[in-house]
Amino acid sequence: MDHQLDRLGVQLSEARRLTRHGGVPRNRLALLLLDNAAETLLRLSATTYLARADLYGNMMRRLEPARPHADEAEKLAQELGLRVVSASRRRKIDRDFNELVDFVFEHDDWSLDPEMAACIKILHRYRNAAYHRDKVYPDVLEPAVIIYFYLVAHLLKHRKSSLWLIDQAPPGVLEVLDGDDLGSGFLGLPGYSSEAFQAAMADRILRDFIPDSTRVSESLSKHMLARLDGIDRDLKEIGDYHGPPDVERDFAIRVVQCTDAEWHADGPPRDFWTRRFAVTGEVIQAWKADALKLAGVTRALDALRMFAEQESSIVKFEERASELAFETEGAIQFESDLRRGK
């Protein structure tokens, strides 16, 4: 039995069940399961590529005695050396999710587009916020889960492996398929290949959650618009607490773009109201307009690319606004406790 596929099948089946019931607690758990499934599938593909790199390393070592005496041996050894993965790179791949994504997607025979890599990194970062800080909003979380189902389905369908097992379908796979017919089996025999299981699981997930590319575009648009609404909420909290009357929002937008030293100093910097900051109220409105346009993109890869570009422009401001809003909440709570004598 393919135990890896069995475990993945159970994870995906549970994520689907949680998503269908809905709500923040269940969607949050679904997001965690999907992120783990994505990392597992990336690591399985990375293992195949690393094994191939080991093969090139062994070939290069066998050429060592001939390198000083034959130009062809030297040339071949140099070409093989480019395909070897160093120990330091392996450590980075093992420890860093983004490095893992980059490593898998950099191979010529990896068939998924770089737009997907960028979006996997984005959703992994969002998952970290949902897991470590438990900061999630229903309007942000639900479309994030839909997008991650789409990405995981493609990682499942295109997983790299040098060996495929022929066997009966594991229980976890059957859970995902939920009664779908696998066909006549491998060469008409009762068993099926792991590759066939993966393709069938991916197709079922896409059918359940992404019936066409329009759903991808709409989910990306909803997710981005909801995150921008979250920025608005954070700016309001910062402005209401710290900002002068009538200019609270402008004050908050400017404060978010000041450094820690400026924020903690006695009063704002001298050029606080005259400095030309990169993000203004008009820029935030432009972000919202771009996010709305996402919903009308008909090609999924174009939508993923546009989403990644938009996210890269907002993420630094978004994270800083969230951080300051969190600090503001703490200050408000502290003052409330003091008033109540706590």
Side-chain angles (χ1 to χ4, degrees):
M1 179 188 292
D2 190 328
H3 296 290
Q4 290 167 331
L5 269 187
D6 188 34
R7 290 192 293 271
L8 279 167
V10 171
Q11 279 184 243
L12 294 173
S13 179
E14 280 301 299
R16 179 175 61 191
R17 182 183 65 80
L18 290 163
T19 304
R20 283 173 171 169
H21 282 83
V24 168
R26 291 184 180 85
N27 278 328
R28 178 179 174 275
L29 288 174
L31 184 73
L32 301 184
L33 287 170
L34 289 167
D35 183 74
N36 181 261
E39 183 168 358
T40 299
L41 287 163
L42 286 163
R43 291 202 180 280
L44 290 172
S45 291
T47 298
T48 299
Y49 284 126
L50 288 170
R52 187 188 299 177
D54 289 339
L55 210 65
Y56 294 136
N58 291 335
M59 292 168 64
M60 192 172 73
R61 282 189 288 274
R62 290 179 183 177
L63 286 170
E64 283 297 324
R67 288 180 70 173
H69 313 291
D71 291 343
E72 286 300 317
E74 174 64 21
K75 182 180 177 182
L76 180 56
Q78 289 179 3
E79 290 176 359
L80 291 170
L82 296 174
R83 302 178 184 182
V84 174
V85 181
S86 68
S88 61
R89 179 90 195 275
R90 287 171 184 262
R91 284 193 294 272
K92 288 179 182 177
I93 292 165
D94 186 54
R95 297 171 184 171
D96 185 87
F97 184 85
N98 286 354
E99 190 73 27
L100 170 65
V101 175
D102 290 341
F103 175 69
V104 172
F105 274 78
E106 74 187 24
H107 289 83
D108 292 337
D109 62 341
W110 179 253
S111 53
L112 295 182
D113 296 274
E115 290 88 347
M116 290 193 174
C119 289
I120 289 167
K121 291 178 185 178
I122 290 168
L123 288 179
H124 179 72
R125 187 167 62 243
Y126 178 67
R127 169 266 180 205
N128 285 344
Y131 177 67
H132 295 295
R133 294 183 59 182
D134 197 23
K135 184 172 183 179
V136 290
Y137 297 109
D139 51 350
V140 182
L141 186 56
E142 186 175 346
V145 169
I146 299 299
I147 299 160
Y148 226 159
F149 267 117
Y150 176 80
L151 295 169
V152 166
H154 282 83
L155 289 174
L156 189 63
K157 203 165 192 173
H158 297 274
R159 169 197 161 189
K160 279 291 172 187
S161 179
S162 54
L163 182 67
W164 297 107
L165 181 68
I166 307 297
D167 201 351
Q168 300 294 319
V173 171
L174 295 176
E175 276 190 49
V176 174
L177 296 181
D178 194 24
D180 283 1
D181 186 8
L182 274 165
S184 59
F186 181 74
L187 299 178
L189 299 173
Y192 300 84
S193 73
S194 301
E195 187 176 22
F197 294 147
Q198 290 180 177
M201 290 164 71
D203 288 341
R204 178 56 192 257
I205 290 166
L206 292 172
R207 192 168 81 245
D208 284 344
F209 292 100
I210 319 287
D212 55 60
S213 59
T214 304
R215 186 75 193 275
V216 177
S217 303
E218 289 175 353
S219 295
L220 290 167
S221 177
K222 286 179 182 177
H223 179 75
M224 183 60 70
L225 286 168
R227 283 174 59 179
L228 291 168
D229 286 344
I231 290 175
D232 282 342
R233 286 190 290 266
D234 289 339
L235 290 175
K236 187 175 189 314
E237 184 147 27
I238 297 164
D240 286 350
Y241 183 72
H242 298 286
D246 302 324
V247 289
E248 295 96 335
R249 182 175 172 81
D250 191 22
F251 177 88
I253 291 171
R254 289 171 179 271
V255 162
V256 167
Q257 296 172 88
C258 288
T259 65
D260 281 332
E262 291 172 320
W263 169 246
H264 291 295
D266 294 330
R270 291 181 183 178
D271 63 345
F272 183 78
W273 291 108
T274 57
R275 188 187 305 177
R276 297 186 66 175
F277 289 103
V279 178
T280 63
E282 291 75 19
V283 168
I284 295 174
Q285 284 304 116
W287 288 345
K288 292 180 180 179
D290 288 340
L292 279 170
K293 290 176 187 174
L294 264 177
V297 178
T298 55
R299 187 169 175 265
L301 283 178
D302 290 338
L304 289 168
R305 177 180 44 71
M306 290 171 62
F307 171 77
E309 290 170 355
Q310 290 177 22
E311 205 271 350
S312 68
S313 70
I314 77 161
V315 65
K316 185 177 178 181
F317 184 88
E318 177 188 36
E319 289 178 347
R320 179 64 172 159
S322 176
E323 177 187 337
L324 292 183
F326 182 75
E327 291 177 7
T328 300
E329 288 172 12
I332 294 170
Q333 184 62 52
F334 178 72
E335 290 180 4
S336 174
D337 290 345
L338 282 180
R339 285 194 299 271
R340 290 184 293 170
K342 286 190 175 183

